[in-house]
Amino acid sequence: MIGAGAVGAGTAWHLARQGHTVTLIDPSLDAPIQRSNDLDQSLNGTTASLGVLMGNVFRRSSGRAWRLRQRSMELWPQWVERLNHPESPLQLHSSLIQLASDPVEAERMEALANQRHNLGLESFSSVSTESHPVPWPNPGHGGLLSKHDGRIDPLALQRALRRSLKAEKVGLLPARVTKLHRTSIGGENRWHLELGTDRTIDCAVVVLCAALASALLLQPLGHDYPMEAVLGQVLDLQVSAPSKAWDHWPAVLVCNGVNLIRHGNNRLWLGATLEQGEEPSTEEPAIMRRLDGLAPHWLQQAEVIDQWHGLRARPSGQPAPLLEVLEPGLILASGHYRNGVLLAPATADWVGQQISVFIGL
Ligand SMILES: Cc1cc2nc3c(=O)[nH]c(=O)nc-3n(C[C@H](O)[C@H](O)[C@H](O)COP(=O)(O)OP(=O)(O)OC[C@H]3O[C@@H](n4cnc5c(N)ncnc54)[C@H](O)[C@@H]3O)c2cc1C
């Protein structure tokens, strides 16, 4: 396994539980799981992420993207139950509210709620009622409540995975893979991995989960899967919201495509921006904060306590994610763009199936 973000670490854990011998390679494996305060440093996607799980409010109701989301939402409670441990506690924070920006969006949300009552979706009108309290001074055009969408803490997830990987005897190799090629050992096809440290490793199956770096490792093998970097910035705000705004705050509130996540006393994470390239803009956080004119006064007045940014890997000219068996024993599971945390369980499940086919189980 190459890459130990949510996708690679989650897949390694799943494969080990299926009985495979797994080695996970990533230069960050000997570092603590935390967000650095170095503003110049881009974090890996998982560490930068907000861990929002928006599976049931997805717009489409068919196709691969919908099936992957539904599979992940089905698997998440099982994953959390197995990964949760007193040394690395993990839980799902449920309930997500999307506020409609205009009447057309409100209508679309109402139609979606009508189709998906069984998935825990309910729409509400512009007036907050006892049964649908909305944590916003003026919910405007109403919105959508999803009881089973929500959030997982991406740092807690990575810590829980790292503990469980050790418990499952997965080899953790803190190194960077610099080159990958096919070789034959005793007439058997193998993959030969060069690591930055003069070390090499041979294996029967390689699963590539290295986000943007996956494309670079594949290019010399003649596999062209270009991806572009889409940077995201998150603000950690100290707010003095009226106490009734907090009373019914869901795990995630989404307004104008921006997530507002309450953490601690009067603290909110606000994110994330969508910026082409790898350099954070100085203007985008302020634009995001205005929520296109919908932000209440107290949000605009909030003090920025911290901020960070990270990169998403977006496949060029193809839908995310890239789940492909490229050659026998070479599997690409990358390019998850905005939903890698959400889709980690479904991705692991898919990789497990491909490996079962490969080894003829
Ligand atoms: C600000 C922000 C907010 C986000 N919010 C959400 C959200 O709310 N919900 C959601 O589902 N998604 C969210 N995302 C997207 C999500 O974070 C990504 O889709 C996801 O993290 C991808 O996971 P990954 O494991 O594929 O990649 P990453 O987490 O980026 O991990 C890739 C790993 O590969 C390693 N690697 C790279 N090159 C090599 C090499 N040559 N050899 C070995 N290892 C290598 C890296 O060190 C890294 O650890 C967000 C992203 C950002 C930036």
Side-chain angles (χ1 to χ4, degrees):
M1 299 278 329
I2 306 177
V7 174
T11 302
W13 173 69
H14 174 70
L15 295 178
R17 290 192 74 251
Q18 284 190 324
H20 301 292
T21 304
V22 185
T23 301
L24 181 61
I25 312 171
D26 189 312
S28 70
L29 276 170
D30 57 0
I33 295 160
Q34 61 190 26
R35 290 189 188 106
S36 140
N37 288 328
D38 181 355
L39 278 184
D40 293 334
Q41 200 196 329
S42 220
L43 304 167
N44 81 8
T46 305
T47 303
S49 120
L50 289 167
V52 175
L53 310 177
M54 288 172 83
N56 296 317
V57 294
F58 188 56
R59 279 178 181 224
R60 290 196 293 277
S61 299
S62 62
R64 184 188 73 141
W66 169 246
R67 287 195 300 275
L68 286 171
R69 279 164 176 75
Q70 285 304 289
R71 183 69 182 135
S72 260
M73 292 312 287
E74 190 182 323
L75 289 171
W76 265 119
Q78 300 167 29
W79 271 43
V80 169
E81 199 184 322
R82 287 184 190 126
L83 288 168
N84 182 26
H85 186 275
E87 283 169 24
S88 51
L90 191 65
Q91 59 172 307
L92 285 175
H93 304 271
S94 293
S95 86
L96 178 143
I97 287 179
Q98 269 185 334
L99 298 179
S101 307
D102 54 47
V104 177
E105 200 182 9
E107 244 174 66
R108 185 188 65 72
M109 288 175 169
E110 196 180 342
L112 204 62
N114 290 339
Q115 281 167 28
R116 296 192 191 156
H117 270 306
N118 60 329
L119 294 178
L121 259 58
E122 287 175 20
S123 60
F124 55 85
S125 67
S126 58
V127 183
S128 174
T129 64
E130 280 290 302
S131 58
H132 292 105
V134 179
W136 205 257
N138 173 14
H141 305 285
L144 189 62
L145 164 71
S146 174
K147 292 180 191 158
H148 307 306
D149 285 322
R151 174 173 186 267
I152 194 156
D153 177 341
L155 299 184
L157 171 66
Q158 290 183 91
R159 290 183 191 120
L161 279 168
R162 203 170 282 182
R163 193 204 67 80
S164 301
L165 287 164
K166 287 178 189 155
E168 295 290 342
K169 311 265 182 293
V170 170
L172 301 180
L173 199 52
R176 183 174 299 280
V177 177
T178 52
K179 206 170 170 196
L180 169 68
H181 57 90
R182 184 181 280 284
T183 177
S184 170
I185 298 177
E188 224 183 281
N189 273 332
R190 306 279 291 174
W191 289 97
H192 186 74
L193 276 57
E194 291 178 18
L195 311 179
T197 47
D198 283 351
R199 290 177 66 183
T200 60
I201 187 170
D202 291 314
C203 52
V205 178
V206 173
V207 186
L208 251 174
C209 306
L212 292 162
S214 305
L216 302 175
L217 288 168
L218 287 175
Q219 219 170 24
L221 295 168
H223 299 293
D224 203 16
Y225 284 87
M227 291 182 234
E228 60 211 44
V230 179
L231 187 140
Q233 299 194 59
V234 176
L235 299 178
D236 185 357
L237 301 173
Q238 172 89 45
V239 295
S240 39
S243 63
K244 73 175 167 43
W246 289 132
D247 285 350
H248 300 284
W249 203 275
V252 183
L253 180 74
V254 189
C255 180
N256 199 41
V258 177
N259 301 305
L260 294 98
I261 296 161
R262 183 188 179 187
H263 73 105
N265 218 3
N266 286 336
R267 292 280 286 271
L268 264 186
W269 285 313
L270 188 78
T273 62
L274 283 170
E275 305 172 31
Q276 295 304 314
E278 304 193 8
E279 280 306 311
S281 130
T282 45
E283 292 96 44
E284 286 295 327
I287 296 171
M288 168 173 74
R289 220 172 135 165
R290 289 199 286 273
L291 301 176
D292 206 16
L294 295 170
H297 181 67
W298 55 259
L299 185 63
Q300 294 172 60
Q301 300 299 313
E303 182 190 351
V304 179
I305 300 284
D306 193 9
Q307 66 190 93
W308 69 82
H309 62 269
L311 299 178
R312 310 171 180 93
R314 180 186 195 173
S316 313
Q318 287 198 56
L322 298 170
L323 301 181
E324 304 273 348
V325 178
L326 302 173
E327 295 181 36
L330 181 60
I331 299 174
L332 173 63
S334 216
H336 287 70
Y337 187 36
R338 299 178 74 177
N339 290 291
V341 178
L342 166 64
L343 297 180
T347 301
D349 187 48
W350 177 85
V351 172
Q353 288 170 26
Q354 306 315 308
I355 291 181
S356 297
V357 170
F358 177 67
I359 60 178
L361 277 180

XYZ file of all heavy atoms in Angstrom, residues 6-66:
453
model
N -6.461 8.786 4.799
C -7.651 8.011 5.180
C -7.864 6.836 4.228
O -8.224 5.733 4.645
C -8.882 8.908 5.166
N -7.605 7.069 2.935
C -7.886 6.028 1.945
C -6.886 4.872 2.088
O -7.281 3.704 2.208
C -7.858 6.619 0.505
C -8.008 5.524 -0.533
C -8.969 7.665 0.353
N -5.576 5.194 2.095
C -4.562 4.136 2.161
C -4.575 3.407 3.500
O -4.533 2.175 3.551
N -4.638 4.171 4.603
C -4.605 3.529 5.927
C -5.881 2.712 6.142
O -5.830 1.598 6.670
C -4.453 4.590 7.018
N -7.024 3.261 5.720
C -8.289 2.531 5.867
C -8.285 1.252 5.042
O -8.727 0.188 5.499
N -7.745 1.336 3.837
C -7.706 0.153 2.968
C -6.737 -0.889 3.529
O -7.034 -2.090 3.541
C -7.307 0.566 1.525
O -8.262 1.534 1.068
C -7.308 -0.613 0.578
N -5.581 -0.440 4.028
C -4.602 -1.378 4.607
C -5.237 -2.133 5.777
O -5.079 -3.353 5.912
C -3.367 -0.601 5.079
N -5.959 -1.405 6.601
C -6.616 -2.031 7.770
C -7.662 -3.058 7.314
O -7.709 -4.178 7.817
C -7.258 -0.920 8.617
C -8.100 -1.401 9.745
C -7.675 -2.040 10.878
C -9.523 -1.281 9.855
N -8.752 -2.323 11.686
C -9.902 -1.866 11.091
C -10.523 -0.727 9.046
C -11.226 -1.916 11.528
C -11.841 -0.774 9.481
C -12.185 -1.373 10.706
N -8.460 -2.670 6.322
C -9.499 -3.571 5.808
C -8.875 -4.838 5.206
O -9.334 -5.951 5.468
C -10.319 -2.807 4.758
C -11.335 -3.636 4.045
N -12.475 -4.118 4.674
C -11.388 -4.098 2.767
C -13.181 -4.828 3.809
N -12.547 -4.833 2.644
N -7.800 -4.663 4.429
C -7.155 -5.828 3.791
C -6.539 -6.745 4.851
O -6.616 -7.975 4.742
C -6.080 -5.373 2.797
C -6.582 -4.589 1.582
C -5.411 -4.152 0.697
C -7.578 -5.409 0.760
N -5.932 -6.164 5.877
C -5.335 -6.981 6.944
C -6.430 -7.782 7.650
O -6.241 -8.955 7.978
C -4.592 -6.090 7.928
N -7.574 -7.144 7.866
C -8.672 -7.861 8.526
C -9.200 -8.994 7.645
O -9.758 -9.969 8.131
C -9.799 -6.894 8.887
C -9.407 -5.952 10.016
C -10.579 -5.196 10.588
N -11.406 -6.043 11.406
C -12.622 -6.469 11.084
N -13.166 -6.087 9.945
N -13.293 -7.246 11.875
N -9.017 -8.855 6.323
C -9.431 -9.931 5.411
C -8.401 -11.068 5.379
O -8.580 -12.042 4.686
C -9.584 -9.383 3.989
C -10.844 -8.562 3.777
C -11.048 -8.257 2.304
O -10.081 -8.037 1.558
N -12.283 -8.242 1.869
N -7.287 -10.867 6.064
C -6.291 -11.941 6.149
C -5.082 -11.747 5.252
O -4.208 -12.623 5.187
N -4.979 -10.605 4.556
C -3.813 -10.363 3.693
C -2.624 -9.859 4.511
O -2.805 -9.213 5.543
C -4.145 -9.321 2.620
C -5.287 -9.727 1.733
N -5.200 -10.778 0.847
C -6.553 -9.249 1.613
C -6.351 -10.916 0.211
N -7.191 -10.009 0.657
N -1.425 -10.152 4.024
C -0.219 -9.578 4.633
C 0.004 -8.215 3.981
O 0.131 -8.128 2.755
C 0.991 -10.500 4.359
O 0.657 -11.794 4.851
C 2.247 -9.984 5.035
N 0.034 -7.181 4.789
C 0.041 -5.818 4.225
C 1.203 -4.999 4.785
O 1.496 -5.053 5.987
C -1.284 -5.080 4.580
C -1.347 -3.710 3.912
C -2.503 -5.898 4.195
N 1.855 -4.243 3.895
C 2.826 -3.234 4.319
C 2.337 -1.880 3.819
O 1.960 -1.748 2.648
C 4.223 -3.524 3.725
O 4.634 -4.820 4.156
C 5.248 -2.505 4.191
N 2.319 -0.899 4.715
C 1.870 0.450 4.365
C 3.094 1.369 4.341
O 3.857 1.411 5.311
C 0.856 0.913 5.415
C 0.227 2.292 5.249
C -0.560 2.399 3.942
C -0.703 2.592 6.434
N 3.270 2.082 3.216
C 4.464 2.926 3.060
C 4.058 4.395 2.920
O 3.219 4.723 2.057
C 5.260 2.509 1.792
C 5.458 0.981 1.756
C 6.602 3.228 1.729
C 6.046 0.482 0.446
N 4.634 5.235 3.760
C 4.347 6.676 3.688
C 5.418 7.382 4.517
O 5.673 6.972 5.653
C 2.943 6.958 4.267
C 2.477 8.395 4.031
O 3.253 9.331 4.300
O 1.334 8.576 3.580
N 6.034 8.453 3.987
C 7.076 9.129 4.782
C 6.542 9.687 6.096
O 7.312 9.897 7.037
C 7.571 10.255 3.857
C 6.557 10.373 2.775
C 5.852 9.059 2.676
N 5.241 9.929 6.185
C 4.706 10.563 7.402
C 4.423 9.556 8.521
O 3.974 9.946 9.599
C 3.407 11.314 7.070
O 2.388 10.383 6.777
N 4.728 8.288 8.286
C 4.326 7.286 9.280
C 5.101 7.347 10.595
O 4.673 6.772 11.581
C 4.423 5.872 8.682
C 3.181 5.455 7.873
C 3.446 4.162 7.128
C 1.959 5.312 8.762
N 6.237 8.042 10.589
C 6.947 8.153 11.873
C 6.669 9.497 12.550
O 7.260 9.828 13.576
C 8.457 7.921 11.702
C 9.070 8.875 10.698
O 8.320 9.706 10.132
O 10.289 8.796 10.469
N 5.744 10.268 11.979
C 5.434 11.583 12.563
C 4.114 11.513 13.327
O 3.243 10.719 12.984
C 5.336 12.615 11.446
N 3.972 12.354 14.363
C 2.687 12.368 15.077
C 1.569 12.909 14.180
O 1.838 13.685 13.249
C 2.949 13.313 16.256
C 4.166 14.071 15.921
C 4.948 13.293 14.915
N 0.345 12.460 14.453
C -0.799 12.913 13.637
C -1.332 14.205 14.231
O -1.957 14.213 15.283
C -1.878 11.811 13.609
C -1.324 10.585 12.898
C -3.149 12.307 12.935
C -2.056 9.313 13.199
N -1.023 15.314 13.605
C -1.457 16.616 14.117
C -1.402 17.650 12.999
O -0.755 17.432 11.981
C -0.561 17.057 15.272
C 0.888 17.223 14.848
C 1.827 17.431 16.028
O 1.543 17.001 17.136
N 2.944 18.084 15.784
N -2.096 18.759 13.225
C -2.022 19.857 12.262
C -0.903 20.773 12.686
O -0.881 21.232 13.821
C -3.341 20.641 12.228
C -4.453 19.837 11.617
C -5.690 20.684 11.377
N -6.757 19.804 10.981
C -7.778 19.471 11.771
N -7.888 19.988 12.964
N -8.685 18.630 11.343
N 0.010 21.005 11.753
C 1.139 21.857 12.095
C 0.694 23.310 12.116
O -0.255 23.706 11.452
C 2.204 21.624 11.032
O 2.819 22.808 10.689
N 1.375 24.119 12.926
C 1.042 25.546 12.964
C 1.783 26.337 11.891
O 1.638 27.544 11.797
C 1.394 26.126 14.337
C 0.417 25.635 15.377
O -0.746 25.401 15.066
N 0.890 25.453 16.592
N 2.560 25.606 11.085
C 3.334 26.276 10.053
C 2.415 26.631 8.885
O 1.982 25.776 8.120
C 4.451 25.316 9.586
C 5.319 25.946 8.527
O 4.994 27.070 8.096
O 6.315 25.308 8.135
N 2.099 27.919 8.756
C 1.131 28.356 7.753
C 1.587 28.097 6.323
O 0.796 28.044 5.401
C 0.844 29.847 7.902
C -0.183 30.228 8.966
C -0.437 31.709 8.923
C -1.474 29.455 8.788
N 2.929 27.968 6.154
C 3.446 27.762 4.801
C 3.312 26.314 4.371
O 3.500 25.976 3.209
C 4.925 28.147 4.721
C 5.095 29.642 4.910
O 4.122 30.348 4.595
O 6.150 30.067 5.388
N 3.013 25.454 5.330
C 3.031 24.034 5.011
C 1.644 23.524 4.639
O 0.671 23.739 5.341
C 3.536 23.267 6.230
C 4.038 21.884 5.872
C 4.156 21.009 7.104
O 4.431 21.501 8.196
N 3.915 19.736 6.923
N 1.574 22.850 3.484
C 0.330 22.226 3.073
C 0.233 20.865 3.738
O 1.204 20.120 3.781
C 0.360 22.044 1.555
O -0.877 22.321 1.014
N -0.926 20.546 4.274
C -1.088 19.254 4.946
C -1.569 18.216 3.942
O -2.115 18.563 2.896
C -2.140 19.402 6.044
C -1.867 20.488 7.086
C -3.112 20.743 7.919
C -0.718 20.069 7.982
N -1.428 16.950 4.290
C -2.040 15.973 3.395
C -3.555 16.147 3.482
O -4.085 16.772 4.408
C -1.551 14.541 3.680
C -2.254 13.853 4.834
O -3.219 14.348 5.383
N -1.755 12.694 5.197
N -4.262 15.633 2.477
C -5.697 15.898 2.376
C -6.435 15.517 3.644
O -7.249 16.293 4.163
N -6.117 14.351 4.197
C -6.886 13.852 5.335
C -6.686 14.733 6.566
O -7.649 15.061 7.268
C -6.475 12.397 5.640
O -6.647 11.632 4.435
C -7.324 11.802 6.727
N -5.455 15.132 6.842
C -5.183 15.946 8.030
C -5.825 17.332 7.895
O -6.297 17.904 8.876
C -3.657 16.050 8.252
O -3.158 14.711 8.362
C -3.302 16.794 9.519
N -5.869 17.852 6.672
C -6.477 19.173 6.458
C -7.998 19.108 6.481
O -8.667 20.113 6.724
C -6.023 19.727 5.112
N -8.529 17.928 6.259
C -9.971 17.837 5.996
C -10.822 18.101 7.227
O -10.342 18.074 8.362
C -10.262 16.445 5.435
O -11.153 15.750 6.234
N -12.105 18.345 6.982
C -13.046 18.560 8.077
C -13.799 17.278 8.423
O -14.572 17.252 9.382
C -14.035 19.661 7.695
C -13.411 21.064 7.661
C -14.338 22.054 6.973
C -13.075 21.530 9.065
N -13.627 16.248 7.621
C -14.257 14.955 7.929
C -15.771 14.932 7.778
O -16.446 14.113 8.401
N -16.285 15.836 6.940
C -17.742 15.863 6.762
C -18.184 14.660 5.918
O -17.552 14.348 4.903
C -18.173 17.192 6.087
C -19.666 17.194 5.778
C -17.807 18.367 6.979
N -19.221 13.989 6.375
C -19.732 12.806 5.674
C -21.095 13.162 5.095
O -22.119 13.133 5.780
C -19.844 11.616 6.640
C -18.596 11.304 7.482
C -18.869 10.151 8.458
C -17.394 10.964 6.594
N -21.084 13.569 3.808
C -22.331 13.971 3.144
C -22.716 12.895 2.151
O -22.521 13.056 0.954
C -22.138 15.302 2.420
C -22.024 16.483 3.349
S -21.562 17.994 2.512
C -23.114 18.540 1.911
N -23.213 11.785 2.657
C -23.554 10.673 1.769
C -24.991 10.710 1.317
O -25.299 10.493 0.149
N -25.902 11.057 2.227
C -27.328 10.947 1.902
C -27.908 12.179 1.224
O -28.962 12.103 0.617
C -28.115 10.647 3.184
C -27.724 9.290 3.748
O -27.578 8.322 3.018
N -27.521 9.238 5.061
N -27.228 13.327 1.339
C -27.763 14.534 0.694
C -27.209 14.703 -0.729
O -27.457 15.713 -1.363
C -27.465 15.827 1.503
C -28.199 15.832 2.822
C -25.976 16.015 1.716
N -26.470 13.708 -1.207
C -25.913 13.791 -2.561
C -27.058 13.985 -3.566
O -28.112 13.370 -3.442
C -25.160 12.486 -2.856
C -24.376 12.495 -4.139
C -23.426 13.466 -4.384
C -24.588 11.516 -5.100
C -22.697 13.461 -5.566
C -23.866 11.512 -6.283
C -22.916 12.489 -6.506
N -26.828 14.825 -4.569
C -27.905 15.201 -5.488
C -28.431 14.057 -6.333
O -29.617 13.911 -6.547
C -27.416 16.283 -6.454
C -27.448 17.645 -5.851
C -26.898 18.613 -6.851
N -26.891 19.952 -6.303
C -27.283 21.023 -6.983
N -27.720 20.916 -8.212
N -27.235 22.209 -6.443
N -27.480 13.246 -6.876
C -27.937 12.188 -7.803
C -28.404 10.966 -7.019
O -27.981 10.735 -5.896
C -26.802 11.811 -8.748
C -26.485 12.912 -9.749
C -25.657 12.382 -10.905
N -24.322 11.977 -10.520
C -23.278 12.807 -10.385
N -23.428 14.088 -10.618
N -22.094 12.355 -10.038
N -29.240 10.162 -7.666
C -29.763 8.959 -6.995
C -29.377 7.692 -7.736
O -29.976 6.638 -7.520
C -31.283 9.025 -6.913
O -31.672 10.129 -6.174
N -28.419 7.796 -8.645
C -27.954 6.594 -9.345
C -26.518 6.835 -9.793
O -25.988 7.936 -9.633
C -28.841 6.312 -10.571
O -28.730 7.392 -11.470
N -25.902 5.786 -10.344
C -24.527 5.921 -10.832
C -23.512 5.540 -9.768
O -23.834 5.344 -8.596
N -22.235 5.470 -10.218
C -21.161 5.002 -9.345
C -20.983 5.901 -8.110
O -20.808 5.416 -6.995
C -19.857 4.954 -10.148
C -18.692 4.381 -9.367
C -17.386 4.520 -10.116
N -16.939 5.905 -10.107
C -15.672 6.305 -9.970
N -14.717 5.400 -9.852
N -15.338 7.576 -9.976
N -21.022 7.222 -8.323
C -20.771 8.144 -7.202
C -21.817 7.942 -6.102
O -21.491 7.966 -4.910
C -20.793 9.585 -7.706
N -23.042 7.752 -6.488
C -24.114 7.534 -5.506
C -23.928 6.194 -4.801
O -24.032 6.103 -3.574
C -25.465 7.608 -6.214
C -26.640 7.151 -5.393
C -27.432 6.063 -5.629
C -27.176 7.765 -4.203
N -28.406 5.958 -4.676
C -28.276 6.990 -3.778
C -26.819 8.888 -3.441
C -29.027 7.294 -2.649
C -27.579 9.191 -2.307
C -28.658 8.400 -1.927
